[in-house]
Amino acid sequence: MSPERHLAPAGTPLSLAPGAAARPEPAEPAVIRRAAEALRQGALVAFPTETVYGLGADATNGAAVARVFAAKGRPRFNPLIVHVEGTSGARDLALWDTRAERLAEAFWPGPLSLVLPLRADAPVASLATAGLDTVALRCPDHPVALDLLREAACPLAAPSANPSGRVSPTRASHVAEALARECAVILDAGPCRVGLESTVLDLSGDQPALLRPGGVTQAALESILGPVVGRPDVTTGPARAPGQLASHYAPSRPVRLDAKEPTEQAGEALLRFGPEAPAGYDPIYDLSARGDLEEAAARLFDGLRALDRPGVAGIAVMPIPEIGLGVAMNDRLRRAAAPVEGDGDG
Ligand code: TXA
Ligand code: MG
């Protein structure tokens, strides 16, 4: 069924139809209340989290969730993360176990999504989980996201608020550039603190499996759980879960990794990490002049967007150490550099 068939009845005060462009609004209490009301009516709301901005819909409303897929151009086989305001909300939706409990104690609210068996009586729309018998749950560490969840009083299915395959938004203005017409409200709370999406950990089997590196490192997970199985390199190995195709997070210009030498190409821009830079690149965007991985992670998507502009032939990226948040940064950068082969994670 096409999502356009699910528009709200005539006379609704909210514009659910594409056409009226939302502008970012400061996330004040009255605006959050209006956004929650829009969600309850089945509209989409962009909201800040500590990782990236999400494009939220009431996860229990199939028509609303269908609008998310349509807005992003996201393939329907790729399930969405469902956001909850705490562990009691999570228990209503998934079969919760002691591993989940220990991880939630350590990392929730925070950048960790847990894939768990879906409860048979969970009121989640099957489109949100792409029909799987598991659900990815996350409790975001952001006061606006938590207020919105409480006010809306429903779980929120929310992928990153970008067109599928493109760079995730870390500012409200990034959302407005691409999805203003799809959102009833865009809540603006400034740049996201972490800047990379959540870690996705699969707890649906006996062995915890890392499906996506993110804001919580594998070492941090292992300090709680013991060994966690990694997943094959996205650019070479087979996909272990929906939404792990190689090309994703892609600017429209070519991305070249591991730039250490002076450039041989006029007009090549540089994402710099650390104080030194090889010669000849222009413009240069500093991820972190002091070589700090947290600072660099928070600026990565903003940098890819800032350099993806007319007059730039390609984006070269200096090496990022494969430690801590660098693992998630390199994962996103490899996908940004991979040739486009279809719809990516989104
Ligand atoms: O930080 C984040 O996680 C952001 C903010 C908005 O919370 N959200 C986000 O959502 O990045 P999205 O839809 O762009 O990425 C969701 C990832 C995809 O890789 C998807 O395949 C995976 O989670 N996922 C969701 N449900 C799953 C499930 N049941 N089994 C396996 N993977 C799942
Ligand atoms: Mg995404």
Side-chain angles (χ1 to χ4, degrees):
M1 195 180 320
S2 101
E4 291 71 32
R5 294 182 189 279
H6 297 292
L7 298 178
T12 170
L14 292 160
S15 171
L16 300 189
R23 285 166 192 259
E25 295 180 75
E28 288 158 4
V31 184
I32 295 174
R33 279 197 296 277
R34 178 155 45 82
E37 177 55 25
L39 288 166
R40 284 195 296 269
Q41 292 195 26
L44 307 186
V45 167
F47 64 95
T49 80
E50 81 282 27
T51 59
V52 299
Y53 276 75
L55 182 66
D58 175 354
T60 69
N61 179 338
V65 175
R67 282 193 194 99
V68 172
F69 283 89
K72 283 179 61 86
R74 177 167 170 131
R76 291 192 180 206
F77 60 76
N78 190 4
L80 308 178
I81 292 173
V82 175
H83 297 67
V84 292
E85 56 142 332
T87 54
S88 78
R91 282 197 183 83
D92 292 341
L93 305 181
L95 300 180
W96 195 249
D97 64 16
T98 51
R99 298 173 306 176
E101 184 62 29
R102 286 163 61 207
L103 289 166
E105 247 168 51
F107 302 114
W108 277 14
L112 175 64
S113 298
L114 299 175
V115 175
L116 293 161
L118 182 67
R119 279 177 65 133
D121 59 352
V124 173
S126 63
L127 195 52
T129 60
L132 297 174
D133 56 7
T134 55
V135 61
L137 296 177
R138 158 162 139 79
C139 177
D141 185 17
H142 196 293
V144 172
L146 292 171
D147 282 352
L148 185 67
L149 280 161
R150 269 180 228 117
E151 198 74 45
C154 58
L156 294 179
S160 50
N162 53 280
S164 187
R166 292 294 169 184
V167 179
S168 297
T170 54
R171 295 170 186 271
S173 60
H174 298 162
V175 181
E177 280 162 23
L179 295 175
R181 290 184 186 283
E182 328 297 332
C183 299
V185 181
I186 300 174
L187 292 168
D188 187 351
C192 299
R193 176 170 58 79
V194 176
L196 291 175
E197 298 85 345
S198 61
T199 301
V200 180
L201 182 71
D202 186 354
L203 289 180
S204 65
D206 290 341
Q207 181 71 46
L210 187 66
L211 301 184
R212 178 174 75 182
V216 173
T217 63
Q218 182 162 351
L221 295 173
E222 290 184 333
S223 74
I224 305 286
L225 282 185
V228 167
V229 187
R231 65 154 188 190
D233 187 294
V234 289
T235 55
T236 55
R240 284 174 52 100
Q244 294 184 340
L245 301 178
S247 174
H248 187 48
Y249 307 97
S252 52
R253 282 159 185 75
V255 174
R256 183 167 69 83
L257 304 183
D258 221 19
K260 290 180 279 210
E261 308 295 330
T263 185
E264 292 173 7
Q265 192 189 353
E268 200 178 22
L270 184 70
L271 271 185
R272 174 158 67 182
F273 180 75
E276 316 287 345
Y281 296 88
D282 183 41
I284 293 175
Y285 182 102
D286 272 314
L287 291 172
S288 171
R290 57 196 161 94
D292 179 83
L293 284 169
E294 282 190 21
E295 181 182 40
R299 292 171 58 75
L300 177 65
F301 291 151
D302 193 56
L304 284 172
R305 283 167 182 274
L307 297 180
D308 193 18
R309 65 178 195 227
V312 169
I315 302 171
V317 188
M318 286 180 68
I320 309 288
E322 185 77 2
I323 48 167
L325 280 180
V327 175
M329 289 181 71
N330 284 323
D331 169 79
R332 305 307 190 268
L333 284 166
R334 278 193 292 274
R335 299 205 218 186
V340 175
E341 59 171 47
D343 286 301
D345 156 277

